[in-house]
Amino acid sequence: MKSNLLRNNLLLLALVVALAIVPLVMVNGAEFGGADGQAEEVIIEINPNYQPWFSAIWEPPSGEIESLLFALQGALGAGFICYYLGYMKGKKNSDKE
């Protein structure tokens, strides 16, 4: 039982590493960008005179900090969801006993 769990965890870890590395190797030299930048390009292409009606209250000082905050937000969200799912699974298991 423990060896199956270890094998499955190692297999999942290898898949995660492959998912991170394979795109970097296959799409070497590609430009990575977000959906916001692509949407902005399309809007400017459709209507070059477009003026945004709202601006952000605070702009991050650099693109790296903006990416850091975005990644932090994603990590916190994933942590919250995983905690909730684990809590509900533990609660379900304790109710069975």
Side-chain angles (χ1 to χ4, degrees), residues 1-12:
M1 181 77 168
K2 262 190 167 181
S3 66
N4 284 341
L5 183 64
L6 179 64
R7 185 185 58 154
N8 289 342
N9 286 339
L10 289 175
L11 180 64
L12 288 173

Side-chain angles (χ1 to χ4, degrees), residues 6-7 15 23 25 27 45 48-50 55 68-69 78 92 94:
L6 179 64
R7 185 185 58 154
L15 285 173
V25 173
V27 191
E45 183 180 314
N49 298 325
Y50 175 77
S55 63
L68 171 72
L69 292 174
K92 185 178 175 182
S94 69

Side-chain angles (χ1 to χ4, degrees), residues 38-94:
Q38 292 177 350
E40 185 178 347
E41 289 176 9
V42 170
I43 290 171
I44 289 174
E45 183 180 314
I46 293 172
N47 184 4
N49 298 325
Y50 175 77
Q51 293 292 325
W53 57 273
F54 182 80
S55 63
I57 296 172
W58 178 72
E59 293 276 338
S62 69
E64 289 83 13
I65 292 177
E66 186 177 353
S67 297
L68 171 72
L69 292 174
F70 185 75
L72 182 64
Q73 178 186 7
L76 288 174
F80 175 77
I81 290 171
C82 290
Y83 174 79
Y84 179 76
L85 292 175
Y87 176 78
M88 293 307 289
K89 183 174 171 78
K91 186 177 176 182
K92 185 178 175 182
N93 287 344
S94 69

